[in-house]
Amino acid sequence: MTAEVAPIPEISVAEHALSPNMRLHTDALIAYFQRVVQSGEDTDIAKSYLQTLHDISHFVDVKSRLVSGLPSRRDAGLSRETLLQFGKLLKDRRLQARLSRAALGKKTGLSEATIKFIETARTRPTRGTLLRLMAVDALQLTWADLAILRELPLPIDHSHAVSALEQQPAGTMNWYVTPGYDGVRLVEDLARFLQGAGGLVEQTSAYLDHHSALDYMAMTRASAVTMAHQAKIPLHDIARAIIANSAGVGLNVIVLGAGNGVLETKLVQDLIAMQPKVDVDLCLLDISQPLLSVAYKHAVDTLGGIAGMHIWAMQGNFHRLGSYTQLHYQPSRTQQRTRIYTILGCTLANLDDEAQFVLDNLNAIARPKDYLVLDLQLGWGRTPEEIMANDPALRGEIPKPTARWLEGPIRRSCPDVREIHMTCRLDPAPIQGSYTLTVLATVRSQSQGERVFSMFRFRRHDRALFVQTMSDLGWELVAGPPMPAEQGRELSAVLLFRRR
Ligand SMILES: C[S@@+](CC[C@H](N)C(=O)[O-])C[C@H]1O[C@@H](n2cnc3c(N)ncnc32)[C@H](O)[C@@H]1O
């Protein structure tokens, strides 16, 4: 009996997207495996991976030269002056680190002669060589140091972000603060509310200050469910469904609630890999200034420098979409672009009334044929008994990172708090087939006795009933690729809708 050989799938990836993305990834992997080699663990395996990665890196260089007609990094000529300057820098750092050429050779896997030739400007360092040198901590080489090699395009680093910004025409907007946005007042209002008698805190307040943003990011990193969701979400299939209907049309991706921007950036990477010519405007909107800066940096580090890609951030409130004309205005003379709204990280399911948000807010600005990409957590039962018995969130204590994130604003606003006890309660929800998990904080303090705040709400949905609700609201399902099963069932869903 012979095993059936699966046909190799046809990958339709545009070359222009292949090389920048592959460069970023191979450079990051090379740096990682160099550290593994230095650590002395699994050295042989790491060395063999390194060799393969250097081959891939070379392949990408050659490929990008063929596609762009430009000289590759390897061929780029550097002036003698630049080589002398870099050689001197390397020598100074090596001597400061008290390393002989032989010792540095041992650490980097480079020959003594190569190091000598670089130091004396007799050869130009390849990208691979630079990466090896940079991996030696004692040399303290940073990308900023390598700025003298500006003639040589560098791998992923901050200069990449800077050069991406430099490439935008002068005066191009990259950060917009909406009229009336006042981050300090938002935090002050929240503090005043938390000093009161108790009540419901709208989800917006969970991300406002820097501490909340840090605790939120720590919480997502600590959550196995969130990390699995982020890693496995089939955004590639969503991108394919969008491109199938928008071939050759420019895309405006409008991210509502950017968070760390990882999923949204991944979606854009998939989209541009399928576009014959990159033409994407990515707007990241968030109310949290610290989170928005994380998302913006991630997007620029990943996508910056790609011709045809424009990235900008908008500090604002997604409950006021109608007043942000920058998001939806399009001069009638210009060619219509495809707009894609994203609400990822299960954000829609944290809103107090998600159907109302779509009806009264999103629908006010969305045009026919606009797309909406969102994700949801799915329910564990239909009856309260079934849900109580099966939903893991209702068993045991609130996980510590979640408690720390949601308690933070209370502790910062009410210094005389003695104790905060967090519990999770099962509540009904507005959309049929869904239910709410409400996180309650019972706060005991010296001056005010006991008070109860509803700090956050997570909703779980029934996929089919949610799709029906969206259809009633004017959004048709276009794609809902299956999520990989966990614990024997699908825990979440990602859905692509199109406005009728
Ligand atoms: C659950 S996180 C999701 C983040 C990200 N999309 C992801 O996939 O990880 C929700 C995000 O929405 C933002 N947000 C919450 N309320 C908002 C509001 N009223 N206006 C704008 N952004 C808001 C938060 O700051 C946070 O970054």
Side-chain angles (χ1 to χ4, degrees), residues 73-120:
R73 295 174 190 219
R74 280 163 195 257
D75 298 339
L78 290 173
S79 65
R80 176 143 176 87
E81 255 164 56
T82 304
L83 291 179
L84 277 170
Q85 216 183 335
F86 182 70
K88 183 174 175 330
L89 174 84
L90 177 63
K91 189 172 176 187
D92 288 350
R93 294 293 173 87
R94 178 174 64 74
L95 295 177
Q96 273 166 19
R98 295 173 193 278
L99 289 171
S100 65
R101 284 193 185 125
L104 183 57
K106 225 172 182 176
K107 280 183 181 288
T108 52
L110 300 170
S111 69
E112 262 187 84
T114 302
I115 298 169
K116 183 176 168 190
F117 286 164
I118 295 171
E119 288 183 355
T120 51

Side-chain angles (χ1 to χ4, degrees), residues 427-439:
D427 283 328
I431 292 188
Q432 226 199 333
S434 65
Y435 61 91
T436 308
L437 300 171
T438 302
V439 179

